[in-house]
Coordinates of all heavy atoms in Angstrom, one line a residue:
A1 N -3.1 -11.3 13.7 CA -4.2 -12.0 12.9 C -3.6 -13.2 12.2 O -4.3 -14.2 12.1 CB -4.9 -11.1 12.0
L2 N -2.4 -13.1 11.7 CA -1.8 -14.1 10.8 C -0.9 -15.1 11.6 O -0.2 -15.9 11.0 CB -1.1 -13.5 9.6 CG -2.0 -12.7 8.7 CD1 -1.2 -12.0 7.6 CD2 -3.0 -13.7 7.9
E3 N -0.8 -14.8 12.9 CA 0.0 -15.7 13.8 C 1.5 -15.8 13.4 O 2.1 -16.8 13.3 CB -0.6 -17.0 13.9 CG -2.1 -16.9 14.4 CD -2.8 -18.3 14.3 OE1 -2.2 -19.4 14.1 OE2 -4.0 -18.3 14.5
I4 N 2.0 -14.6 13.0 CA 3.5 -14.6 12.5 C 4.1 -13.4 13.2 O 3.5 -12.6 13.9 CB 3.6 -14.5 11.0 CG1 2.9 -13.2 10.5 CG2 3.1 -15.7 10.3 CD1 3.1 -13.0 9.0
D5 N 5.5 -13.5 13.2 CA 6.3 -12.4 13.7 C 6.2 -11.1 12.9 O 6.1 -11.2 11.7 CB 7.7 -12.9 13.9 CG 8.6 -11.8 14.5 OD1 8.5 -11.8 15.8 OD2 9.4 -11.1 13.8
I6 N 6.2 -10.0 13.5 CA 6.1 -8.7 12.8 C 7.2 -8.6 11.8 O 7.1 -8.0 10.7 CB 6.1 -7.5 13.8 CG1 5.7 -6.3 13.1 CG2 7.5 -7.4 14.5 CD1 5.4 -5.1 14.0
G7 N 8.4 -9.3 12.0 CA 9.5 -9.2 11.0 C 9.2 -9.9 9.7 O 10.0 -9.9 8.8
Q8 N 8.1 -10.7 9.7 CA 7.7 -11.5 8.5 C 6.8 -10.6 7.6 O 6.3 -11.1 6.6 CB 7.0 -12.8 8.9 CG 8.0 -13.7 9.6 CD 7.3 -14.9 10.1 OE1 6.9 -15.0 11.3 NE2 7.0 -15.9 9.3
I9 N 6.6 -9.4 8.0 CA 5.6 -8.5 7.2 C 6.3 -7.2 6.8 O 7.0 -6.6 7.6 CB 4.4 -8.2 8.1 CG1 3.6 -9.4 8.5 CG2 3.5 -7.2 7.3 CD1 2.4 -9.2 9.4
S10 N 6.1 -6.8 5.6 CA 6.6 -5.7 5.0 C 5.5 -4.8 4.5 O 4.7 -5.4 3.6 CB 7.7 -5.8 3.9 OG 8.0 -4.7 3.4
I11 N 5.3 -3.6 4.9 CA 4.3 -2.7 4.4 C 5.0 -1.5 3.9 O 5.8 -0.8 4.6 CB 3.3 -2.3 5.5 CG1 2.7 -3.5 6.2 CG2 2.3 -1.3 4.9 CD1 1.6 -4.2 5.3
K12 N 4.7 -1.1 2.6 CA 5.3 0.1 2.0 C 4.2 1.0 1.5 O 3.3 0.5 0.9 CB 6.2 -0.3 0.9 CG 7.4 -1.2 1.4 CD 8.2 -1.7 0.2 CE 7.5 -2.7 -0.7 NZ 7.3 -4.0 -0.1
G13 N 4.3 2.3 1.8 CA 3.4 3.2 1.2 C 4.0 4.0 0.0 O 5.2 4.4 0.1
K14 N 3.3 4.0 -1.1 CA 3.8 4.7 -2.3 C 2.8 5.7 -2.7 O 1.6 5.6 -2.6 CB 4.1 3.7 -3.4 CG 5.1 2.6 -3.0 CD 6.4 3.2 -2.9 CE 7.4 2.1 -2.5 NZ 8.7 2.6 -2.3
T15 N 3.3 6.8 -3.4 CA 2.3 7.7 -4.0 C 2.2 7.5 -5.5 O 2.9 6.7 -6.1 CB 2.8 9.2 -3.8 OG1 4.0 9.4 -4.5 CG2 3.1 9.4 -2.3
N16 N 1.3 8.1 -6.0 CA 1.1 8.1 -7.5 C 1.5 9.4 -8.2 O 1.1 9.7 -9.3 CB -0.3 7.6 -7.9 CG -0.4 6.7 -9.0 OD1 0.4 5.8 -9.1 ND2 -1.4 6.8 -9.9
E17 N 2.2 10.2 -7.4 CA 2.7 11.4 -7.9 C 1.7 12.3 -8.5 O 1.9 13.1 -9.5 CB 3.8 11.2 -8.9 CG 5.0 10.3 -8.4 CD 5.9 11.0 -7.3 OE1 6.0 12.3 -7.4 OE2 6.3 10.4 -6.4
G18 N 0.5 12.3 -7.9 CA -0.6 13.2 -8.3 C -1.3 12.8 -9.6 O -2.1 13.5 -10.1
L19 N -0.9 11.6 -10.1 CA -1.5 11.2 -11.4 C -2.7 10.2 -11.2 O -2.6 9.4 -10.3 CB -0.4 10.4 -12.2 CG 0.9 11.2 -12.5 CD1 1.9 10.3 -13.2 CD2 0.5 12.3 -13.5
G20 N -3.6 10.4 -12.0 CA -4.8 9.5 -12.1 C -5.6 9.6 -10.8 O -5.4 10.4 -9.9
P21 N -6.6 8.7 -10.7 CA -7.5 8.6 -9.5 C -6.8 8.4 -8.2 O -7.1 9.0 -7.2 CB -8.4 7.4 -9.8 CG -8.3 7.2 -11.3 CD -7.0 7.6 -11.7
L22 N -5.7 7.6 -8.2 CA -4.9 7.4 -7.0 C -4.2 8.7 -6.6 O -4.2 9.0 -5.4 CB -3.9 6.3 -7.1 CG -4.5 4.9 -7.4 CD1 -3.4 3.9 -7.9 CD2 -5.1 4.3 -6.2
G23 N -3.6 9.4 -7.5 CA -2.9 10.6 -7.2 C -3.9 11.8 -6.8 O -3.5 12.7 -6.1
R24 N -5.0 11.8 -7.3 CA -6.0 12.8 -7.0 C -6.8 12.5 -5.7 O -7.7 13.3 -5.3 CB -7.0 13.0 -8.2 CG -6.4 13.6 -9.4 CD -7.5 14.0 -10.5 NE -8.3 12.8 -10.9 CZ -8.0 12.1 -11.9 NH1 -7.0 12.3 -12.7 NH2 -8.9 11.1 -12.2
G25 N -6.6 11.4 -5.1 CA -7.2 11.1 -3.8 C -8.6 10.5 -4.0 O -9.4 10.6 -3.1
E26 N -8.9 10.0 -5.2 CA -10.2 9.4 -5.5 C -10.2 7.9 -5.2 O -11.3 7.3 -5.3 CB -10.5 9.7 -7.0 CG -10.6 11.2 -7.4 CD -10.7 11.4 -8.8 OE1 -10.7 10.4 -9.6 OE2 -10.7 12.6 -9.2
A27 N -9.0 7.3 -5.0 CA -9.0 5.8 -4.8 C -7.7 5.5 -4.0 O -6.9 6.3 -3.9 CB -9.0 5.2 -6.2
V28 N -7.8 4.2 -3.6 CA -6.6 3.6 -2.8 C -6.5 2.3 -3.4 O -7.5 1.6 -3.7 CB -6.8 3.7 -1.3 CG1 -8.1 2.9 -0.9 CG2 -5.6 3.2 -0.6
E29 N -5.2 1.8 -3.6 CA -4.9 0.5 -4.1 C -3.9 -0.2 -3.2 O -3.1 0.5 -2.6 CB -4.3 0.7 -5.5 CG -4.0 -0.7 -6.2 CD -3.4 -0.5 -7.6 OE1 -2.9 0.6 -8.0 OE2 -3.5 -1.4 -8.4
A30 N -4.0 -1.5 -3.2 CA -3.0 -2.3 -2.4 C -2.6 -3.5 -3.2 O -3.5 -4.1 -3.9 CB -3.7 -2.7 -1.0
L31 N -1.4 -3.9 -3.1 CA -0.8 -5.1 -3.7 C -0.2 -5.9 -2.6 O 0.4 -5.3 -1.6 CB 0.2 -4.7 -4.7 CG -0.1 -3.8 -5.8 CD1 1.1 -3.3 -6.5 CD2 -1.1 -4.4 -6.8

């Protein structure tokens, strides 16, 4: 979609260690 090489993109998944809405599975956040 962005017309770039896959090596120009980094995606990391992080947990919220069970804390707050993110950790309880009530929300998802992206930066």
